[in-house]
Amino acid sequence: MRSTGKIALIFAFASVLIGACGEKETNLAAGAGNAADAVYVAPGKYDDFYMFASGGFSGQVSVYGLPSGRLFRVIPVFSQDAEKGYGYSEETKPMLMTSHGFVPWGDAHHPVLSKTGGNADGRWLFINENNTPRIARIDLKTFKTAEIIEIPNSGGNHPSPYCTENTEYLVAGGRFSVPVPDNRDVPISTYKENFNGLISLIKVDDKTGNMSLAVQILAPPFDYDKNRAGKGVSKDWTFFTCYNSEQANTMLEANASQNDKDFILAVNWKKAIEYLEAGKVKDMNTPYCHNVLQEDKHLVVSELLKNQKLLDPKECPGVVYFMPCPKSPHGVDVSPTGEFICAGGKLAAMIPVYSFEKMIKAIDSKAFDGEVNGIPVLKYDAVIAGEVQKPGLGPLHTEFDDQGYGYTSMFLSSEIVKWKLGTWEVVDRIPTYYSIGHLCIPEGDSKNPKGKYVIALNKITKDRYLPTGPELTQSAQLIDISGEKMKLLLDFPTVGEPHYAQACAADLIMKNSTKIYKLEENHHEYVTKTEKESKVVRKGNEVHIYMTCIRSHFSPDNIEGIKVGDVVYWHITNLEQDWDIPHGFAVKGAGNSELLIMPGETSTLRWEPKTPGVYPFYCTDFCSALHQEMQGYIRVSDQSANTPLKWSLNEGQ
């Protein structure tokens, strides 16, 4: 049977299976038994865990509590967010700058918590953007995006941004091979000759978290899909799955599924850095943007950079090796000790688990089975530790608990399969609703997983929720894994498509949470620290309004002397120094979003009035009993008018 036929048969089976589940399991209630008690968090009490889920094509990260499933916050990252003014205010627009200009949307995939000693440390959350290759860093003190770096010479930043054991580096690859250096104009038909994959190492400053592109490693023109860095015994390595070893450039669903085995790419990142420091690299000059929030100025600065260092494995032996992997692998995951590397061949009927110890022995003994573009291919039998047989259909991703078990998501058969490390036997399975992609165990990719729950991140929810038109929500399902048998506890809908999520103990983060921005530490160029300092300044046709807000008024709240044709900048400082008292700002006719200004923060709205008149402005965030009174007026006159510029608060009453 040709591969196209096999694929069609598999997907047809999956459709029937999902349909069957829909008929038979529709009313399998999460609240059965004592499940409701297990997820109930009493009013005023806190959840045990934070869970950070990618928003997929929303471009954002959503934050949930576990076990309740309550949504706490949506953190804007790669897409504009009108609720928070992110990507609309003058301070945050530069965060969305790229070498392609201002890009207001992104495709967020894999959130990854920073680690120290292989364990989550609660400092930062990193997440990749697939479409315009970028990586963002979110500061977990403020839950704000603090930095975004673009990844040049790369297409489809999917296997990204998993960090090394102490967050020394983030590791990223390209799902799509592209001509390298970037932006070369070549015939697509020359794919095998002119295209390449690329692995990037991004250095992370241990104190500030700031990212910088260290080196890029040339790879054959395959599709690099997922990666994980090693830990423990394998901490100097990182592992990528790759498919399309056929090097096809059209109709990949058939042409990239011909070979029985594709590969795992094992990268010795530490040796790559040694070659970089020894100067065994070449220069490339593709432009890319690096955008950083200057916290004391509440302002993002975007910088266009050009230099990259390229390492060619043919000239740097010992950096990369291939391990054969059946078939069209997707996820690759590393056990808590770092000894076992587990792959998910989405068209395979078993789960291969590799031994790091055997891999090193195979390298040392040169147990090779040929090479690809000068990269040695290790013999499958020399590196395999075991195979999990008959796990289900469509294995994708694996996470681990603290009892020696792996949990693998099965996309086609819509289930999670629990199996034992060492014996490779399947010991339990539980259906998911439906078509699970990733799964998440709190700190499940660390050296010390918190094996209390596994969360299924599902693509399809037919018949699970009230219908909402043609589009239904994606969902997460909370499953108890504390006993021998897995038990479904809770369904909850998600924001966007939850490609992946990571969770950690709440006390890692909540103890460091920022409550206010101190006014005395605000060094914004247009800060106004007291009402007496509020003013309006004209510079040609630019007008700068230095405004304050506090419960429950703006200062000034009456402004005149603005003209049609002026560009007005509202620089608003929130004088509150109390937790959870933001103020909002909006002015009639603004071609922009609102501002949402945290206590002690300064934020700027750009406004171009088009016609004369009097325009009201007001606070958009309910801040006090007199919130409705928090308003004002700005008068706009004709361009030829001689209306004097003036401003006031509580004048003439």
Side-chain angles (χ1 to χ4, degrees), residues 41-62:
V41 178
K45 300 296 183 183
Y46 294 143
D47 281 276
D48 296 332
F49 299 96
Y50 285 100
M51 186 179 85
F52 302 90
S54 78
F57 40 76
S58 80
Q60 320 294 34
V61 167
S62 47

Side-chain angles (χ1 to χ4, degrees), residues 168-182:
E168 300 97 332
Y169 291 90
L170 305 178
V171 188
R175 171 183 165 196
F176 312 120
S177 287
V178 295
V180 177
D182 212 349

Side-chain angles (χ1 to χ4, degrees), residues 45 84 94 124 147 159 171 202 213 233 238 255 293 297 302 306 314 339 343 374 390 393 428 488 510 592 595 639 649:
K45 300 296 183 183
K84 301 176 183 66
W124 308 301
E147 183 180 8
V171 188
I202 297 95
L213 182 60
V233 294
T238 186
N255 294 324
L293 173 65
K297 297 179 179 176
S302 178
K306 285 192 174 178
K314 291 198 294 290
E339 167 58 19
K390 298 180 179 179
L393 290 176
D428 193 20
L488 176 62
M510 59 184 292
N592 213 328
L595 295 177
Q639 202 163 22
L649 172 69

